[in-house]
């Protein structure tokens, strides 16, 4: 059984595309909480409000880390998606974290980011452009077969 | 003896400021190659040209990784600087790599990045705004004394 | 599946509160033996009496360590509860042990202990005041949803 | 060369007694910052004030952790001293942290704490009552000779 | 679920006593091959005869190591039994191997060996005299209850 | 349950012989993709063509590494088969990789390679000549019984 | 200080070329014993003759492993040279061993081996064709400067 | 620089023979305390008498473990000597401990113990009969030269 963690961009449905494409392969997928508001506010929502925005963010980031760490540490493969917008430093952080743990890393990114992501890509075993390519890799890893 | 790796932004002289401020503390500093051109071209310069820009970048990023990995793995403290410009995904990648290895992490960043860096900061033991603050932390860690 | 170890104070029913609150989430909970008398006497009860109280305690503490170590090492999340009374050094010891193993640590403590626990809290991903808050964190980690 | 970390109680001169007693043995001693005020305020002093006492403490505890972690991780032997007063949860936390890393642990404590420290003691290779006993152990470990 | 490896003496039925006593506790027991002849000859039986008794023994010991290593590495608890006869260096070797891996170690031995086994016992969490005591420890670890 | 990875030569049906011989023992077998063409072309087939044969090979080797690493890292026993032809450096690489991870290593090779494989064999727990011998070892490890 | 292990082919003077080229960089080089006869016979020379050539080789390979393992484990960078002749499985084994330990790997090989070495190369951070290129990489890693 | 730990039998001068034979090779040797009386009594001598002989032994064995663990953990090579007399379980324990840590193991033993030590020998890289053979191995490892 393959365990795959899907890190990074949370504004498109790429996780669903991969999960649907990989349906029936017996893969277990994990991911961060993709509800942006919940992810930002989980710390203060549960543990109490903070006056200072910095600590508001900090409490949330630490609660999210419980889920993220478990997801990465249990994964055989970590897919990190970089989108078109935002800083996405948490995605690059997850990639570094996964690389240091020796996880098999797949980067999913548009070609325009190639130069900026070259250090991240250098730690990866595959750089994909589309969710379908990620599905094809997972199928090959699990079933040993190639598309068409 | 404390070993400190200075990762991230390479367009200002923050590394020199820290090294000078920490002069006499017996700290060993390491860093990536900060000559931007050399860093981009080291792979093809040494190992031969590539027609494809992707592999040009890839060869360079892999050669740089030899130096980066050694620097981070030998460090007690990893300082990661985020500047005002560029994607800086390699900085965030280094932070994640260092965090997974259990290194003490200091993030040096302007306050405007606080929200975007909240996951990175949550893995750090200190978030500093100026090189002087980093120096003060290192002095406290090594000598046990505070400014003023 | 999330594995959670509930360490620390054994004189109130906080473990039951958490377990009941988390019912249906598929979490496996482990804990030390909470029968105070059994915990103190397990060594001599099984392996033979000791004249010296020190070795009486020692034999028991070592037998308990078999259970404690397994519980912490298998856990994804270690919750450590500090109560109002007693030295509770075993709770702080468990927190340090879990931190060194890289476990996600949640400290459950009354605010009056904040200063005395600051080093312990600094190693934690959350500091909660009530069992309900711990349940809410676990729910968020497992299900990605927030209260209310 | 033996590296020894001296953790715990900071209100008596036990560290000096051990260092003087071990003079000439070639042992390197490390310790936390023992200036209580500096230890409490280092975070806000260097990185800026906090309105909330909790975050004041938190920033300081994290900066101290840089020094503490390095000290424990580099040590062959970790001596943890429990005194007569205060909660001393940081001492017990250090003991647990050191135990999980497989360090040789020596607990230095008055007999009145034997029962409360039984789980901590069970992870130790020696439980001493006086700094002189710690010196004698270090001499035996380094030089192979016994007192008198 | 607890995994227990039963190492050492193979001429009495102590393994059966423990397994029967622990029936219903959900413990998985593993052990070396206890057929003395098969254990001695497995190497040459499968891989071909050796003229030299030393290599005859060596081939067998290496094949047995496949089973032994797996058993110890998967175990939470390693019980090592020393009997009245023979050198039993393989038992002490297994104890050292398990100790270095951080396994919870229970030594099962007659009191007459106490002095000769003091270094081995010092690495153990319990020293038992009878299989029943081992069963009682396992029951306490799994169920939290004491005999009678 | 024993997990066995079958590395190396892909031109004969030795994997099937072992799997059939071990039928009913409850062993889980994993292996690289043994379709030579798919294995060579998986990278470019999924991720896009390369003009340069070197990078064509590189992309494929990296995708295959996702499967290979998982197979070796999850294995208790790694069997590496050397055949009569080809360089087979990937087989020797896998053997070194498995050895460094502390896996139990079985080398399956014709006697003519004994001298050339002496460093590889020195890291193994068994050197077999036929798939039947590997089956016999696995049966002994799992069931404790010898042939005939 | 950089520690570099030079593994593989022992019939040309490539190690000297690299050591001379890197003179003055403060690099420590280690290597296997390159006296072919001594390397083959060290086991029986020291520990006594064997009738069987297999065990003759085995004893030697194990004695050589003491030196090899230390060299690889202490290295920051492992250079593995593949030449034109022989099976060179020990070189590929060392590459796999180094890769599993997370060492920075440089493969030095003629282009004709590219396809056969693709799995080995996929684990490397650089694939060089000449000792001069290896020297240039080491200079870049240590001094941050490029040729010419 | 090679670090060698000399474990086991303490009644002959084999450690001196090896140290003298290896004079000038730059090897650092460590060993347990070989004063039998001091080794037995160090615990009670330093930390106070025990009525019960078991705890007398236990306290001593634990203090000795501080030295033994450091010696083995820092060693590249662990030599374990088995003599003609006594149980020598501590020697076999050290061998197992060293093996689990991946140390290069050399067993020094008379041939009469071959069968009883076969499991221990199977974990070793060399089985020597005389201190001179150990010296020759160390010289080969350090200098690459063979006797005469």
């Amino acid at each position: 059984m393959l365990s795959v963690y899907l890190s990074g961009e949370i504004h498109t449905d790429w996780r669903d595309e991969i999960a649907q494409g990989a349906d029936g392969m017996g893969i277990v997928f994990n991911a961060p909480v993709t509800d942006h508001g919940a992810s930002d506010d989980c710390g203060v929502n549960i543990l109490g409000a903070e006056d200072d925005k910095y600590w508001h963010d900090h409490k949330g980031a630490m609660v999210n880390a419980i889920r993220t760490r478990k997801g990465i540490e249990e994964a055989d493969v970590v897919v990190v998606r970089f989108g078109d917008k935002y800083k996405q430093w948490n995605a690059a952080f997850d990639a570094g974290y996964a690389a240091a743990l020796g996880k098999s890393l797949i980067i999913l990114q548009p070609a325009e980011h190639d130069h900026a992501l070259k250090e991240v890509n250098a730690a990866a075993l595959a750089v994909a452009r589309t969710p379908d390519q990620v599905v094809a890799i997972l199928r090959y890893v699990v079933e040993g077969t190639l598309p068409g």
Side-chain angles (χ1 to χ4, degrees), chain A residues 45-82:
Chain A
N45 180 305
I46 296 172
L47 297 168
E50 292 291 331
D51 293 333
D52 187 332
K53 182 60 160 54
Y54 182 86
W55 297 116
H56 175 116
D57 281 352
H58 191 68
K59 281 168 90 167
M62 291 204 298
V63 167
N64 281 308
I66 301 175
R67 180 167 166 131
T68 305
R69 286 189 193 175
K70 179 174 166 64
I72 295 178
E73 284 163 17
E74 284 185 1
D76 300 301
V77 175
V78 175
V79 181
V80 184
R81 161 84 161 181
F82 289 84

Side-chain angles (χ1 to χ4, degrees), chain A residues 8-24:
Chain A
E9 186 253 305
I10 62 170
H11 301 95
T12 65
D13 64 351
W14 67 277
R15 286 184 181 82
D16 291 339
E17 284 184 66
I18 290 175
Q20 287 168 21
D23 189 41

Side-chain angles (χ1 to χ4, degrees), chain A residues 117-128:
Chain A
L117 281 171
K118 66 182 192 294
E119 290 86 1
V120 177
N121 290 344
L125 290 174
V127 176

Side-chain angles (χ1 to χ4, degrees), chain A residues 20 36 50 67 98 100-101 106 123 130 136:
Chain A
Q20 287 168 21
H36 199 146
E50 292 291 331
R67 180 167 166 131
L101 297 181
I106 299 175
T130 68

